[in-house]
Amino acid sequence: MGQKRISHRQIYISWWFALSLVVMTCLIFLDGYAHAHLASTDLWGVPTGGQNQILSHQIIPDPTDPLSAIHPTFDFTSDDSFQRYLDPSHPFQNINYVPADLAPINSNFTANDARKFELRQEAGDSFADMAWHFRDHFGGDRLSITSAYRSESFQKSLLKNWCSDDLCAKPGTSEHQAWLALDLSVVTKWGRTISMDKPNKYTDWLHAYAQAWGFHNTYQKGIAIDGKVVEWWHRRYLGTWFATLLFENNQTFAEYYKTVNR
Ligand SMILES: [Zn+2]
């Protein structure tokens, strides 16, 4: 009864197996390293180096320019202003308002097909860049667009069917109707959908960085302040300058608006 001998063939297979294991481990490590270190960060600490950098996080105005110290004035009343203020007492001047610069959202980095949704060009381009950074930061987890534009009639049917006034805006007062707002969720790299109906690491990231792309969470402090319940999933485009100003003041749009329009 001799010992079972290991054949050359078995040794050869074991060697290849061990070698592939080492190579695969190295590749996974290098991928992680590249994610963590190769991307440099910009002024906001947001990783740069995107393939989809339509915008280069332009700060308007340039903070090195002494003229930028002049207090900004925003246009809260024109329907086509990116800072148009909308609430039940401030509806569109033109109830049939449609912006001239609508475009499908040009991104390959959202979980669902972004091109099925339209926003005003500048807002959509900025969102596309943010979607790339989001996916890069979370190693493959992607933003998913739940809703972008909602027509006046759709808004009416929402209110009629299941949405209360403090959740859905009255027709003619919705930021979605301005083609400037998005409702978002996340699909992980493993295909799991994560909603944003409560705070999580994704809403934290958006809260910390979205202003760098001009997006603001209009409804984050509740009915008493914003006139609507908290909507973690909602982001509205205001332009980088104004969104950053609100972020630095820790104010919502409604708070700022009430401060300057007392
Ligand atoms: Zn929304």
Side-chain angles (χ1 to χ4, degrees), residues 150 176 182-183 231 233-234:
R150 289 204 286 262
H176 288 279
L182 289 162
D183 293 338
E231 295 188 4
W233 58 86
H234 178 92

Side-chain angles (χ1 to χ4, degrees), residues 82-84 175 180 214-216 218 235-238 253:
F82 285 122
Q83 294 88 35
R84 173 66 156 100
E175 296 183 333
L180 290 172
F215 284 92
H216 171 72
T218 334
R235 289 295 178 288
R236 181 250 163 97
Y237 186 75
L238 287 171
F253 190 7

Side-chain angles (χ1 to χ4, degrees), residues 167-209:
L167 188 60
C168 287
K170 283 201 172 75
T173 68
S174 168
E175 296 183 333
H176 288 279
Q177 216 181 312
W179 277 270
L180 290 172
L182 289 162
D183 293 338
L184 301 167
S185 62
V186 171
V187 177
T188 68
K189 55 184 157 297
W190 313 116
R192 204 171 137 226
T193 301
I194 313 280
S195 79
M196 295 217 200
D197 53 8
K198 55 180 184 291
N200 54 38
K201 63 177 177 178
Y202 305 113
T203 57
D204 285 350
W205 189 91
L206 288 172
H207 187 75
Y209 298 123

Side-chain angles (χ1 to χ4, degrees), residues 40-98:
S40 58
T41 55
D42 66 14
L43 279 173
W44 289 274
V46 178
T48 57
Q51 302 155 16
N52 194 29
Q53 285 194 327
I54 297 160
L55 303 173
S56 53
H57 314 311
Q58 198 180 1
I59 309 171
I60 307 166
D62 178 357
T64 58
D65 176 358
L67 288 175
S68 72
I70 294 169
H71 198 271
T73 49
F74 300 107
D75 177 0
F76 295 131
T77 48
S78 304
D79 286 348
D80 64 353
S81 163
F82 285 122
Q83 294 88 35
R84 173 66 156 100
Y85 183 70
L86 290 157
D87 75 3
S89 331
H90 301 84
F92 287 106
Q93 295 174 27
N94 172 8
I95 195 77
N96 301 312
Y97 165 71
V98 178

Side-chain angles (χ1 to χ4, degrees), residues 243-257:
T244 304
L245 179 74
L246 293 178
F247 176 78
E248 285 170 357
N249 290 352
N250 187 26
Q251 281 178 312
T252 62
F253 190 7
E255 276 182 295
Y256 184 92
Y257 183 82

Side-chain angles (χ1 to χ4, degrees), residues 158-174:
L158 275 182
L159 280 169
K160 201 173 144 198
N161 295 325
W162 57 271
C163 220
S164 64
D165 277 12
D166 51 9
L167 188 60
C168 287
K170 283 201 172 75
T173 68
S174 168

